[in-house]
Amino acid sequence: MWSPIHTDCAAECELVDSTPVPDPDPEISKPIDAPAESPEARVIGGVSIKRTGQRPKRVIAVSGAKGGSGKTVIASNLAIYLASLGRTTVVVDADKSGAHMHTLLGLPPVLPSQILRTSAASTALEVEPTSVAGMYFVNGGLAEGNAGRSHSRSRVELFSALPELDCDYMVIDLGTGIETDLIDPFLAADIALYVTVPEPASVEGCYRFMRAMFLRRLSLLAGDVKQRAELLALAEDLGGLPAPRELIEALEADEHALAAIGRECLKRFELHLVVNQTRVRADLELGESMTSAVWQRLGVNLDYVGYIDYDDTVWTCVRACEPLLVKSPSTKASKHIERLARRLISMDVAKSGLRIMRTVPPGTHHDLLEVDRGATDEEIRRAYRRVREVYTDTSLCGYGLFTKKELEAVRARLEEAFDVLLDRNRRRPYELSVFPDAPAPHDEEVVIAQRTDLPPAPTVTPETEFDGAILRRMRESLGLELKQISRRTKISLLYLQAIEDDDFGALPAIVYVRGFVGELAKTLGLDPAQVSHTYVRRVKRNLGEAGA
């Protein structure tokens, strides 16, 4: 059976003397560029399968928040797309309760009269060819016995046999749940995809799965049985499936041996999410909102990889027992699944390059607003408007994640972060305390002098009409010289001086003035649109041009 432990995490945590876990399947654990075995034909379950690629087998696992989320539709059509690229692909139905992938592929069901075809239960996997060239189907037999078996398989039996299948890609529909025998193969897959729909129960199920997934991974990294028992006891004290961040903080408070390993796993944890059956704009934004909410509440990364629009054609194909990408390849749902498949393939080729990178310390005002240190005032305003919608009482992305009291606390922090980062006099000392060793905002040539004799910044509101005097006062409050701004913006020092002096006759054409003033505003941390609009309006008015 495949090991759910990712070797990179275990290595970086320097885990030794761990509880014995079955070795990973060598086919799966080989690096992506390892030389492939000879692509000779193999016979599995009476079907000849011949690998066509020169890469080791890659496993894509698909699970979902609840029945009806579309995980089986997505898994089967991902397999069809991979087979259409000329890759030998096996799609596996490993759903315990809703095993019906055969209907989506147009394959006949196994009737009860066929199950006891022989007296002895067969242990071999039955591989069926499909109507798609290069694609094969395996009914895992978890929901009921396959032909030749008197009882259903366990997931342990199934995943022990799957490595025998020789193919380029294996797509596994794991079904729904948080059982360990479902989470283990999910953790072990090369790409693990989780499907949700824009409904409260589905969103809540996603968060529950993430908590269970993190706890399972950390328990498998425990050094011995005692450590694992202590971890599970602590999790039980925290509610059974605690938020990963809370669990690690509790381990650190107890100075537990798993604390350092857990902190590293917290950084590396990532779940790939697709939102299915989207209908309105809010549905399209749900994935990004969930990413923000999960980071703040659970402390882990949720990687939103795309959405698939609701499409009546999907229902039509399911009703007709025909594959979507075969029957209706030009519909929007088909196009979205193809786009998702291409993204997953690119992730498989360059996993490390797609990891979410956070450039600011967790828990800071910048982290809450999701802005970098050098963000302009306008960038902060836009971020505030977006993030504020994530933490409303009616926000779908917060369902099952925050209590009402926690939401109120986050909103209070959000208001404080917005106020501090828009106030120059408060932002500067705050950033110096948070980024003591980092370079100042913007770049190395624009250095904010750490002086106490700088004049105060002028008061700026959305109604402010900017002139040269205000821009000069803002520059002086930052301790900047015109020469520094000229070097950074590549704007002539003469033009910058003319802007501050309101010497309109010395300025170039209006189209250039608008660009110059906008760049100057960015350097000063002002809203470029507001500054350029109001300044150019004054230029036109003073020059007597129409359209003032």
Side-chain angles (χ1 to χ4, degrees), residues 318-354:
V318 171
R319 178 71 176 267
C321 298
E322 295 178 314
L324 176 65
L325 287 186
V326 175
K327 178 66 176 179
S328 303
S330 60
T331 61
K332 60 182 179 180
S334 297
K335 295 299 182 184
H336 289 173
I337 290 176
E338 290 179 356
R339 180 183 62 190
L340 173 64
R342 290 192 295 269
R343 178 172 173 83
L344 295 180
I345 292 172
S346 68
M347 287 168 51
D348 188 33
V349 173
K351 288 182 183 178
S352 59
L354 294 174

Side-chain angles (χ1 to χ4, degrees), residues 360-376:
V360 296
T364 60
H365 294 337
H366 303 73
D367 179 54
L368 182 60
L369 287 170
E370 300 179 13
V371 296
D372 291 326
R373 187 192 179 194
T376 65

Side-chain angles (χ1 to χ4, degrees), residues 375-377 424 427 442 446 466 470-478 480-482 485 488-489 500 517-527 531:
T376 65
D377 287 0
R424 291 259 161 206
R427 178 176 178 175
H442 306 310
V446 183
F466 286 89
I470 294 178
L471 294 174
R472 178 185 289 111
R473 289 170 57 197
M474 181 60 72
R475 173 180 61 79
E476 290 173 348
S477 72
L478 296 174
L480 298 176
E481 301 292 337
L482 278 182
I485 296 178
R488 182 178 188 278
T489 62
E500 286 195 351
V517 175
E519 286 300 313
L520 175 59
K522 291 179 183 178
T523 304
L524 300 178
L526 299 170
D527 180 1
V531 175

